[in-house]
Structure formats: C-alpha cells, structure tokens
Amino acid sequence: MAKERIAYVCDNCGQESSKWIGKCPSCGLWNTFKEIRLGSSSAGNAAKSSTLSAGKAAGMKPMKLKDIETSEQKRIDMGDSELNRVLGGGLVPGSIILIGGEPGIGKSTLTLQTVLQMQEKKILYVSGEESAEQLKMRAQRLYEADGNSGRQLPENTLILCETMLESIFDNIRQCEPDIVIVDSIQTIYTETADSSPGSITQIRECTAALLRYAKQSGTPVVLIGHITKEGSLAGPKILEHIVDAVIQFEGDQQHIYRILRAIKNRFGSTSELGIYEMLQRGLRPVANPSELLLRNDHEGLSGIAICSAMEGMRPFMVETQALVSTAAYGTPQRAATGFDQRRLNMLLAVLEKRVGFKLIQKDVFVNIAGGLRITDLAVDLGVIAAVLSSHVDTPIEKGWCMAGEVGLSGEVRQVARLQQRIAEAERLGFTDMIVPDYIGDIDTKAYSIKLHTVKRVEEALRLLFG
C-alpha cells in the first residue's frame, strides 16, 4: 500500500515545508505551520503521468504569438456603475473574481443587490454561510427598497445552500447558469482533500477547480472571501494569484461610506475605485463623491480646509478638519483619523521649523470628514492650513481650496493630475485654488477659477490669512 505523504504549510503565507518549523522563514511568524495530507506519492505520479498522456493525446503544440486568434469579448453589464468602473467596464466572460472585506462591511449585500438588478441573466448564488430564508428576507428588503414594493422577486436567481464542491458542480451542470457566485470560498470543501473547510489545502483546491470550470465553460465566477485581522485575504497567497481580479471592499463600520478598489485586475486598471453610501435600504453608488462630502455648511468655522484628493484616477474634494488646543497634561497629544499620523507629525515639524509657529505645547487632532482614509500627498497643504486656521482661530475664506505636497524644507511640491483637480474644483464652484508653482503646460486662462501658485508653505498661508 502506498504511503501517504504529509507536508506542513504556513497558515499566514502558504509556505510549504517537509517538516514542522517553529518560525516561518517566509513571513517570520511563529507556530503557523499546520500539518496537511497530500495523498499517496503513487497517486500523484499516476496523476502526473495521466496528465502527460492526456496532453499528448490532445495534440497540444506551441503556437506562434502572431498566429493566435483573438476576439473582443463583450463584457457583462453588472447594473452598477461603480462596480463596472472598478472591474474595467463590466464582468469578463470566463473570469474569476475575488471580493474581500471585513465581516459586516457589506460584501454579501453588494453582491445580492447586484444580482437582483441583472434580471436578464441566470445566476446561481451558492451560500455556505446563510440559509435560504435569510437570503430571501435580505433580498426582499433590498428589492422593495429599490422601488419594487409589492412585486415578486425576479425568477432568474437560484439559491443553493451547499458547502461540498462536488454537489455544487452537480447543480451547476443541471441549471447551467450564466454567472456563479460563491459566498464564501472559505466555507467550501472538496472530498478529494483530507482537511477541514477553510484550510489552505481546501481553499487552494476549491479555487483551482472553480478556475478550471470558469475557463472551460466561459462562465464568470465571483468568489467572496474573508480577511485576516491584519487586513489581508484569508487563505494561501496563491489564492490571489489564481483569480483574475481581486477587489477589496473597505470602510469603517462607524461611517456610511464604503470604498471598492481593485488590488489586481487582469482585464482593467487598478487605479479606479467605486464609492458607496451605506443606507438602511442597502448600498447606494455615489456618482459624485465631492458634492456628498462637502454638503455641510462650514462657513465661519475655523480649522477647516478644502483640498483636492485623488483616489486612483478619480479626483474629489475632501474636507480636512483640525483642532489645536492647549495640552491638558504634560505630553501633548497627536491624533489623526483618515490621515497618516507619522505624516502629521512631519507636517507639524515643518510648520514649526519653517513657518515659526510653536505647537510643542499644543494638542493637535486632524480628521478627514466622511470617514474616508486619504493617502494622497496633495492633502498636505490642506492639513497645514487647517491646523493653522484652528491655531489662530481664523476661518478660511469661502470658495478657497488647495492641492500640494509639502517637503521637509517647507517647499510646495508638484502633484500628479493637477489639471483634473482644477477641473473638479471649478465644477463645484470654487473661486480660488492654491497650487504648486510648477503647473506645466496648463492653460490658466481656460479656467474660470483663479489659480494662485506658491513655492513655499508660508506663501500659501499668507494668501489664506494675510
């Protein structure tokens, strides 16, 4: 009888070893190696030989690159402008998509409400976490909230509450769906692997089997995945390599905004992102985030500056809030919400060293309104302006906005896609905008908004506060 092979795999990164190791040499974590059974070596050799013989029988031969025929594949409209934007224009037939996010962030809600809008496609929704009754109640709530009160749910969506992969494929062969959705991949298991659902072996084998089905049948597959406490997708790292696109659903559960961004996309750009507003009736796509984020009237209030940010290829205006107060204890506090705190400490040092404002005995709190997290360096100038506005208790005049990266010597550095930022500010009715001195070949006369170019931080502050 053939001896069963055993290997050890790291739960965090998927590193394999023939023996147990205390510390993973790849990710550096301790006690993450778990024992898995790979089956007998003879079975593996038999499978390998059968694969080689099948390849010979199929007559596979290398082809010249110029001789390969291609055709423009028509994408499937998801009925959601933000989701289509992130996917690159729609869902590509035969692709496999992975959607990840924190528990309760709205992954299943987004998928289910998208399914209800695609009434011309037959969709198989495989749920390994919720019962059919739970899905029916959620679907009914989302469907009625979309203006379909009193109407029956569409008949194109089929619900399957199953976790065994072989049974799922049996149902797929019977109903022949146009799109398959699996919620979630961590709950699916196959009988060919001797391990529990959610293990590295099960996730890898199930995803590989679904990939083969998607490529052979041309049916797109959407997988919903969990993430770890560190924020990465649960399971082996190879999971992200297998799929065609990895989409991350981000946001703070204490705020109403959610961001959908592509981490990997073989059929489109990873620079696009979608913004949603979480309401009681579901997720509402936000076509114009600038107007939504700036809808509050802050005229006459100090510590608020409007700056232009870019997320991917999308410009929008954000409200930067700051509060500077005398430190109640011996050590002043520095806190930032939605902004990098180390970056804030650097900007405060620049403000003290280059501009001359002493904040060493002051508490400084910075917040990006709306619960968004901004990583764009062009927000630097807005953060400094908001901090100084709160420090001197003087509001910034209405109609002013800014964009600029601040260097350690106090210079205002150029930012990417300045022309798009200016166009967005002009569209929203801003009258004056502070920009870096170098604006390239941008025609300032083509815009009705007045552009103020500055080289150093003190020049920008002089324009704002005199």
Side-chain angles (χ1 to χ4, degrees):
M1 183 176 179
K3 185 178 179 181
E4 191 177 51
R5 293 191 302 142
I6 295 177
Y8 296 87
V9 180
C10 174
D11 273 343
N12 182 61
C13 65
Q15 175 75 22
E16 293 187 7
S17 174
S18 58
K19 61 181 181 179
W20 186 86
I21 305 175
K23 182 181 180 181
C24 177
S26 177
C27 62
L29 296 182
W30 288 86
N31 300 323
T32 56
F33 275 87
K34 306 297 181 184
E35 178 183 315
I36 63 171
R37 292 177 174 83
L38 301 178
S40 63
S41 57
S42 59
N45 294 333
K48 183 177 179 182
S49 60
S50 63
T51 302
L52 292 175
S53 61
K56 293 178 181 179
M60 292 185 292
K61 297 180 181 179
M63 299 176 62
K64 294 182 180 178
L65 182 62
K66 65 181 183 65
D67 295 336
I68 299 176
E69 297 182 358
T70 59
S71 60
E72 188 68 25
Q73 290 184 320
K74 187 177 180 181
R75 294 176 181 258
I76 301 173
D77 184 11
M78 303 296 289
D80 187 325
S81 58
E82 298 298 297
L83 184 56
N84 284 335
R85 178 201 297 269
V86 176
L87 290 174
L91 190 61
V92 176
S95 64
I96 182 167
I97 311 297
L98 176 62
I99 302 178
E102 296 180 355
I105 203 68
K107 305 182 298 295
S108 300
T109 301
L110 173 65
T111 308
L112 192 57
Q113 74 177 28
T114 303
V115 164
L116 296 175
Q117 296 171 0
M118 304 174 64
Q119 300 186 13
E120 70 283 356
K121 299 289 184 181
K122 181 188 286 188
I123 300 172
L124 178 62
Y125 192 105
V126 181
S127 176
E129 298 179 348
E130 296 180 279
S131 65
E133 290 78 10
Q134 289 176 307
L135 289 171
K136 171 68 179 295
M137 289 188 294
R138 180 186 295 180
Q140 192 70 48
R141 175 174 56 84
L142 294 173
Y143 193 61
E144 292 180 354
D146 199 27
N148 300 294
S149 180
R151 298 177 58 185
Q152 293 292 328
L153 288 169
E155 298 180 357
N156 65 309
T157 304
L158 305 175
I159 302 297
L160 174 63
C161 297
E162 180 61 72
T163 57
M164 190 172 71
L165 185 65
E166 287 75 14
S167 177
I168 293 173
F169 278 129
D170 289 340
N171 285 276
I172 287 176
R173 282 190 289 269
Q174 291 178 10
C175 62
E176 297 181 350
D178 297 320
I179 300 175
V180 176
I181 297 174
V182 179
D183 183 10
S184 67
I185 185 60
Q186 278 82 11
T187 62
I188 307 302
Y189 73 96
T190 175
E191 292 182 331
T192 59
D194 188 13
S195 56
S196 60
S199 64
I200 292 176
T201 305
Q202 289 287 359
I203 294 175
R204 181 174 54 193
E205 294 300 323
C206 292
T207 306
L210 290 168
L211 174 68
R212 288 192 296 271
Y213 161 73
K215 300 305 179 184
Q216 293 173 2
S217 66
T219 303
V221 178
V222 179
L223 307 178
I224 298 178
H226 300 163
I227 64 171
T228 63
K229 60 182 180 180
E230 290 83 14
S232 58
L233 286 163
K237 200 66 178 177
I238 194 174
L239 176 63
E240 300 179 37
H241 294 283
I242 291 176
V243 300
D244 294 314
V246 179
I247 299 177
Q248 193 84 3
F249 205 34
E250 305 171 353
D252 187 351
Q253 295 188 19
Q254 306 302 321
H255 294 85
I256 62 174
Y257 301 114
R258 303 286 188 269
I259 294 180
L260 188 69
R261 70 174 80 241
I263 300 176
K264 168 190 175 182
N265 193 353
R266 289 175 178 162
F267 308 110
S269 172
T270 56
S271 300
E272 294 288 357
L273 83 159
I275 300 180
Y276 292 86
E277 184 181 12
M278 175 63 84
L279 303 174
Q280 188 174 2
R281 62 178 184 270
L283 290 162
R284 185 182 72 85
V286 179
N288 192 354
S290 297
E291 293 181 357
L292 188 63
L293 295 173
L294 300 178
R295 59 187 176 187
N296 294 328
D297 185 15
H298 51 77
E299 186 176 0
L301 301 178
S302 62
I304 296 178
I306 308 300
C307 46
S308 177
M310 290 285 296
E311 282 290 339
M313 306 284 290
R314 194 172 191 179
F316 55 91
M317 313 300 290
V318 295
E319 179 181 315
T320 305
Q321 303 173 346
L323 176 63
V324 180
S325 61
T326 304
Y329 305 99
T331 304
Q333 300 182 62
R334 303 283 190 263
T337 304
F339 189 75
D340 187 6
Q341 186 166 342
R342 291 176 296 180
R343 188 81 183 171
L344 172 62
N345 294 333
M346 186 207 78
L347 295 176
L348 294 178
V350 170
L351 191 59
E352 183 170 339
K353 178 73 174 179
R354 304 300 179 187
V355 187
F357 284 91
K358 304 298 182 182
L359 300 173
I360 192 171
Q361 296 298 328
K362 300 289 185 178
D363 290 337
V364 180
F365 305 94
V366 172
N367 175 50
I368 303 296
L372 297 179
R373 178 162 186 84
I374 303 297
T375 57
D376 188 6
L377 298 181
V379 184
D380 288 354
L381 195 57
V383 171
I384 283 185
V387 168
L388 189 57
S389 171
S390 178
H391 178 61
V392 300
D393 200 17
T394 302
I396 296 175
E397 188 177 349
K398 185 179 181 180
W400 283 70
C401 63
M402 59 208 73
E405 178 188 351
V406 176
L408 291 177
S409 60
E411 80 277 14
V412 179
R413 302 171 61 87
Q414 62 181 2
V415 295
R417 305 187 181 278
L418 182 58
Q419 195 167 356
Q420 297 182 27
R421 301 175 195 265
I422 296 173
E424 178 71 7
E426 182 185 43
R427 188 182 64 82
L428 293 174
F430 286 91
T431 57
D432 298 83
M433 185 174 185
I434 300 176
V435 295
D437 181 66
Y438 179 77
I439 58 176
D441 56 352
I442 297 177
D443 184 11
T444 58
K445 297 180 180 179
Y447 300 98
S448 60
I449 186 173
K450 186 177 181 180
L451 301 179
H452 303 269
T453 58
V454 295
K455 292 183 179 180
R456 303 185 63 82
V457 173
E458 51 264 34
E459 296 178 25
L461 299 179
R462 198 176 299 117
L463 285 170
L464 293 172
F465 305 105

